[in-house]
Amino acid sequence: MLNCFVTHPDLLKPKWCEPRTLATLRPTHFLPIILCCFFVALWPFEPLRAQPARPVPAKKTNTIIEKAKVILNGFPIGKNARVFPYITLEDWLDPYVGAKLGHPFFLNSADRMLHHIKFEDVHDYSWKFRYQANALSSKNTRLSFLFKRKTDQDPFYYGIGNATAKSLRVPAKYASIFFGGEVARDISDHLVLRWSPGFWRFRSGFLEGGEFENASAAQYLSSRFTLSDRQSVDYWKATLDKQWSAFVEIALPVHSTVASYVRLNLAGRTQLPLFTGTRLSLASRLEYLISSDDQRMPYFAMPEAGSKSGLRGFSKDRFRNFAVAVHNIEWSFQITSGFDGFLLTDLAQTASAPTELVGKHIHAAVGLGLRLRDINHPFTVGMAIGGEGFKLFSNVAVGRPW
């Protein structure tokens, strides 16, 4: 049985309907209820469409990668100063601690003072200082003053040539100082011309004492003219990207115990996108030194190939000669959202002249590595093997405070 309660405007008081059974109810009796339910069910959806979309929760990022990027982006010190610390390897067990520091000049905040310090111990360190004179610069022309100091007791004297024996190497030492300036002029949106004159002084010798060359102590007035791209290669660019540079360096001795020389350098790098997000990178460097007297040419001023100078499976500065050709091939691919992996092949030859490079024995190295996916501060570590064993390598292109 079903009872219902209804009201009517003409009635002063409600009354009970006559009892009805389910058999006597018609579909039209349920129509008002169905319409009300349908209206109530649809009514809330229209206002919801006008509501702003709910924020999508941010994806969780790799904590290690984020911490690494924080370090590579530097730490602020004061108002306009920033420091970039890092650690890198020169060899298996030769870690170097480094830092870049940029801050305003104390007497003129428009100018910048920039330091790059690299330290292994009290005998092995380097300090590169740049004073960027923004107050004396214009929109397209920039003036800087440079100072560089380096002492190194880790190098070896291998001799000159493409077939020197590693077993005959002798521990050496090296110290140098440079001060001068740089004028950079933007020729176009893509090209920049730099002129870097200065005074360069250095001394070399055996670690245990004595000298291994006639030009062990040298003082030069040097001047370098460089024409290059303004932008570096973007490691993660999905389209073709390239970079090149060329320089001519002229060095005249302050005294006659060393030879004058002219150094020619041409380097380029091209990156090609391949299938499924992989990239192929091709890089080459050709360097040639013309000397007034080959017997009085300083050993550590000659072009080199080895380790970070393009032959990553060999020791630092392993091969030196008057002409050097280095080629680097990398095939890179994404491993995670934070890292790229790459396979590498390095090739190098040396000779007394560029025309003699053809036919010389090719020194080769193969390896693999990881690169942090940060376009501004690529951080690279890896391992390579050449004809003389395994080598670890690392490279930290920390932020440029200038």
Side-chain angles (χ1 to χ4, degrees):
M1 302 294 294
L2 176 64
N3 295 323
C4 62
F5 182 81
V6 297
T7 59
H8 192 278
D10 297 332
L11 301 177
L12 298 178
K13 58 181 181 179
K15 67 177 181 179
W16 291 97
C17 296
E18 293 294 331
R20 295 181 180 178
T21 62
L22 292 177
T24 60
L25 293 176
R26 299 178 180 177
T28 55
H29 295 153
F30 295 95
L31 184 59
I33 300 176
I34 294 174
L35 292 176
C36 291
C37 294
F38 187 75
F39 177 79
V40 172
L42 292 181
W43 177 80
F45 287 89
E46 185 61 29
L48 286 177
R49 295 192 187 100
Q51 297 295 325
R54 295 182 180 179
V56 179
K59 295 182 179 179
K60 294 183 179 180
T61 56
N62 191 305
T63 305
I64 298 178
I65 296 175
E66 291 304 315
K67 288 183 178 180
K69 289 183 178 181
V70 168
I71 296 175
L72 296 175
N73 285 323
F75 300 99
I77 301 176
K79 185 177 181 181
N80 294 315
R82 186 172 289 271
V83 62
F84 304 80
Y86 67 92
I87 298 176
T88 187
L89 292 173
E90 290 288 347
D91 209 331
W92 284 95
L93 299 174
D94 291 330
Y96 275 79
V97 177
K100 282 189 176 182
L101 171 65
H103 61 87
F105 180 47
F106 306 108
L107 302 179
N108 186 357
S109 59
D111 294 348
R112 299 284 293 175
M113 302 179 69
L114 313 159
H115 313 262
H116 186 184
I117 302 169
K118 190 176 178 181
F119 180 82
E120 181 184 19
D121 55 42
V122 294
H123 301 294
D124 296 324
Y125 69 90
S126 67
W127 174 37
K128 298 179 181 179
F129 171 76
R130 176 189 292 264
Y131 179 87
Q132 189 166 297
N134 294 328
L136 301 177
S137 302
S138 63
K139 180 180 179 180
N140 296 322
T141 304
R142 297 173 297 280
L143 174 64
S144 301
F145 300 98
L146 308 175
F147 175 83
K148 302 177 183 180
R149 171 65 174 167
K150 180 179 181 179
T151 63
D152 191 358
Q153 297 197 23
D154 284 341
F156 289 93
Y157 171 71
Y158 293 95
I160 300 174
N162 195 58
T164 56
K166 184 178 179 180
S167 59
L168 300 179
R169 66 181 184 177
V170 182
K173 57 184 177 180
Y174 171 81
S176 69
I177 186 171
F178 173 88
F179 58 86
E182 179 185 273
V183 179
R185 173 72 178 180
D186 295 335
I187 299 178
S188 68
D189 294 338
H190 303 285
L191 291 178
V192 57
L193 176 64
R194 293 183 175 89
W195 173 45
S196 306
F199 173 78
W200 183 30
R201 177 181 180 180
F202 60 89
R203 186 177 183 87
S204 62
F206 291 121
L207 186 61
E208 301 298 332
E211 300 171 352
F212 55 80
E213 59 179 343
N214 297 325
S216 59
Q219 298 180 19
Y220 281 102
L221 292 175
S222 66
S223 189
R224 177 180 292 189
F225 300 88
T226 305
L227 182 65
S228 65
D229 283 338
R230 293 186 61 185
Q231 300 294 331
S232 301
V233 168
D234 183 348
Y235 284 97
W236 300 274
K237 194 172 184 179
T239 58
L240 175 68
D241 199 6
K242 61 184 184 299
Q243 179 191 23
W244 67 273
S245 67
F247 72 75
V248 177
E249 180 181 289
I250 303 172
L252 303 175
V254 176
H255 53 82
S256 59
T257 59
V258 294
S260 59
Y261 68 85
V262 175
R263 184 193 305 269
L264 307 174
N265 180 291
L266 179 61
R269 182 187 183 97
T270 301
Q271 185 166 266
L272 303 169
L274 299 180
F275 54 90
T276 64
T278 63
R279 295 167 300 279
L280 180 65
S281 175
L282 305 173
S284 295
R285 172 173 63 95
L286 176 63
E287 194 165 349
Y288 178 44
L289 188 144
I290 306 172
S291 172
S292 62
D293 186 347
D294 293 352
Q295 300 300 320
R296 294 188 296 116
M297 187 64 217
Y299 176 76
F300 286 108
M302 300 179 66
E304 79 287 342
S307 187
K308 291 185 178 180
S309 57
L311 196 56
R312 285 166 282 190
F314 290 78
S315 301
K316 177 178 61 176
D317 304 337
R318 175 61 182 87
F319 301 99
R320 288 187 182 271
N321 215 328
F322 290 88
V324 172
V326 179
H327 309 283
N328 308 108
I329 305 171
E330 287 185 6
W331 178 63
S332 58
F333 48 91
Q334 184 174 348
I335 297 178
T336 68
S337 59
F339 283 98
D340 269 7
F342 62 91
L343 304 178
L344 67 92
T345 300
D346 295 340
L347 307 171
Q349 294 172 292
T350 75
S352 58
T355 55
E356 299 178 7
L357 288 171
V358 180
K360 291 290 185 179
H361 174 68
I362 299 176
H363 304 283
V366 295
L368 51 85
L370 290 174
R371 182 174 289 121
L372 179 66
R373 290 182 61 86
D374 190 310
I375 187 172
N376 296 317
H377 319 114
F379 173 78
T380 304
V381 294
M383 180 180 66
I385 180 173
E388 298 175 347
F390 289 91
K391 288 293 178 183
L392 296 177
F393 65 87
S394 65
N395 183 46
V396 185
V398 298
R400 303 170 181 84
W402 50 85

